């Protein structure tokens, strides 16, 4: 799996113009291509990916917008060393307002699946954009440095980096392929991530925009997908989670009901009382007395 070709060697010009960007360096391994590119601001860029792409932003903050065919939408400022992961087959439309520089590893989907034979199953990459992942950034930068300097540690070092990167991607950025095929549904991994985030913020609450940002989705697309996946809206799920937490506190503590109401995120004891009775068909005190029997 050694490097097959390296651009920007001694005596070679830097900055190969490829239409939408300038290639500064590239290195190839079996089923994988590493490219260091820079580009000027671009408008209305469209295209489809034939390989999985994992990129790290090497430039400064870059304003961008990008939309995928499944309604995922990002509009933000790409931060230095921010990571983006896009699966093969993704149809992309976007633009940038600032010059950008990135290091991108493109991976043949067949190679990606073959690398995961030991984890027993067909895995699909889950797209994300402009997220923090120090490990992925470090692996890509180390791979770039090793290839650019002629593999001074021998081919085994680069191969080890690639194996570690593929293993990390499969462990943390994939879902079972069957989970991603249901039209309009969140994957089990994504759904559990959102639910855990909601349960961890019962007292302060969480906005629809913040939940959508967890999955790098447009808020309206996220709302539709969450409701299709759970049968309720995120707000309804939050209320139900607060009631379940209140029931645990009523059963396991002797805290006054008014304290429990506030600790579970309700605006007032009266709001809690009305909501609890509506959901449980009895008052909070009746529930506590029943648990005590």
């Amino acid at each position: 799996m050694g490097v097959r070709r390296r651009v920007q060697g001694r005596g070679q010009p830097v900055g190969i113009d490829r239409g939408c960007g300038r290639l500064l360096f590239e290195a190839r391994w079996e089923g994988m291509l590493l490219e260091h590119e820079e580009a000027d601001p671009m408008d209305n860029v469209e295209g489809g990916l034939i390989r999985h792409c994992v990129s790290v932003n090497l430039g400064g903050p870059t304003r961008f917008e990008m939309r995928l065919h499944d309604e995922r939408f990002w509009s933000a400022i790409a931060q230095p060393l921010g990571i983006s992961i896009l699966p093969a087959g993704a149809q992309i439309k976007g633009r940038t307002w600032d010059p950008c520089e990135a290091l991108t590893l493109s991976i043949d989907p067949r190679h990606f699946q073959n690398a995961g034979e030991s984890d027993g199953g067909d895995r699909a990459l889950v797209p994300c954009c402009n997220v923090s992942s120090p490990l992925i950034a470090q692996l890509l930068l180390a791979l770039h440095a090793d290839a650019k300097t002629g593999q001074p540690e021998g081919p085994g070092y680069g191969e080890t980096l690639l194996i570690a990167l593929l293993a990390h991607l499969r462990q943390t950025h994939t879902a079972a392929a069957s989970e991603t095929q249901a039209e309009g549904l969140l994957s089990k991994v994504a759904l559990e991530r959102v639910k855990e985030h909601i349960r961890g913020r019962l007292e302060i609450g969480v906005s629809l925009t913040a939940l959508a940002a967890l999955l790098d989705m447009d808020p309206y697309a996220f709302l539709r997908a969450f409701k299709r996946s759970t049968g309720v809206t995120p707000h309804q799920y939050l209320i139900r989670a607060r009631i379940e937490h209140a029931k645990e506190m009523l059963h396991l503590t002797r805290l006054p009901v008014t304290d429990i109401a506030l600790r579970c995120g309700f605006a007032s004891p009266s709001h809690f009382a009305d909501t609890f009775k509506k959901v449980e068909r009895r008052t909070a005190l009746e529930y506590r007395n029943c648990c005590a029997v």
Side-chain angles (χ1 to χ4, degrees):
M1 191 163 58
V3 175
R4 293 183 178 176
R5 184 162 68 90
R6 190 161 60 90
V7 174
Q8 198 192 321
R10 291 182 180 178
Q12 292 179 308
V14 176
I16 301 173
D17 195 322
R18 306 201 303 171
C20 62
R22 292 173 293 280
L23 179 64
L24 305 180
F25 175 87
E26 74 172 24
R28 295 175 182 269
W29 297 263
E30 181 182 354
M32 288 179 280
L33 170 64
L34 182 70
E35 297 174 293
H36 179 194
E37 297 178 287
E38 63 179 11
D40 296 323
M42 297 176 289
D43 192 19
N44 295 324
V45 177
E46 295 187 46
L49 299 181
I50 60 174
R51 291 185 170 207
H52 301 318
C53 290
V54 184
S55 299
V56 57
N57 177 27
L58 298 183
T62 302
R63 294 169 295 168
F64 77 97
E65 283 185 357
M66 183 168 63
R67 183 180 297 276
L68 299 191
H69 63 283
D70 63 358
E71 296 185 325
R72 293 175 191 256
F73 176 75
W74 298 276
S75 179
I77 297 177
Q79 297 301 315
L81 298 184
I83 298 296
S84 295
I85 300 173
L86 298 172
Q91 298 296 317
I92 301 170
K93 183 175 182 180
R95 66 174 67 179
T96 60
W97 282 267
D98 303 289
C100 56
E101 181 181 357
L103 188 63
T104 300
L105 181 69
S106 56
I107 308 166
D108 187 310
R110 293 170 296 182
H111 188 84
F112 185 75
Q113 294 299 340
N114 292 339
E117 289 180 352
S118 61
D119 59 26
D122 190 16
R123 306 294 295 178
L125 271 179
V126 177
C128 64
C129 191
N130 192 33
V131 300
S132 175
S133 180
L135 178 57
I136 293 178
Q138 290 171 11
L139 288 171
L140 287 175
L141 291 171
L143 188 64
H144 180 224
D146 179 63
K148 194 172 181 179
T149 54
Q151 295 183 306
E153 303 294 330
Y157 179 64
E159 293 173 3
T160 300
L161 293 173
L162 287 168
I163 291 171
L165 178 59
L166 291 175
H168 181 70
L169 288 172
R170 293 186 65 85
Q171 182 178 10
T172 62
H173 290 278
T174 63
S178 59
E179 295 175 7
T180 66
Q181 294 173 356
E183 184 65 26
L185 298 180
L186 297 176
S187 71
K188 290 182 180 179
V189 173
L191 185 59
E192 184 55 37
R193 183 181 180 188
V194 172
K195 288 181 176 180
E196 183 178 353
H197 189 79
I198 292 174
R199 291 193 294 264
R201 289 159 178 78
L202 295 181
E203 186 172 351
I204 61 176
V206 61
S207 69
L208 175 64
T209 302
L211 292 175
L214 285 176
L215 306 181
D216 295 313
M217 292 181 68
D218 172 78
Y220 299 104
F222 167 77
L223 177 60
R224 290 192 296 271
F226 187 91
K227 189 169 183 180
R228 288 171 183 164
S229 302
T230 64
V232 296
T233 67
H235 179 70
Q236 290 170 328
Y237 182 86
L238 171 64
I239 295 302
R240 292 186 180 185
R242 283 173 168 170
I243 291 297
E244 289 303 313
H245 186 50
K247 288 164 63 177
E248 291 181 5
M249 297 182 73
L250 288 166
H251 178 51
L252 299 175
T253 76
R254 301 312 300 173
L255 287 171
V257 172
T258 54
D259 288 352
I260 292 176
L262 297 178
R263 292 191 182 196
C264 290
F266 288 93
S268 66
S270 61
H271 181 217
F272 168 70
D274 292 342
T275 304
F276 192 97
K277 188 172 184 179
K278 182 178 180 180
V279 173
E280 293 296 317
R281 306 298 182 185
R282 52 185 166 179
T283 67
L285 285 177
E286 288 172 341
Y287 177 85
R288 170 172 274 174
N289 292 335
C290 181
C291 292
V293 174

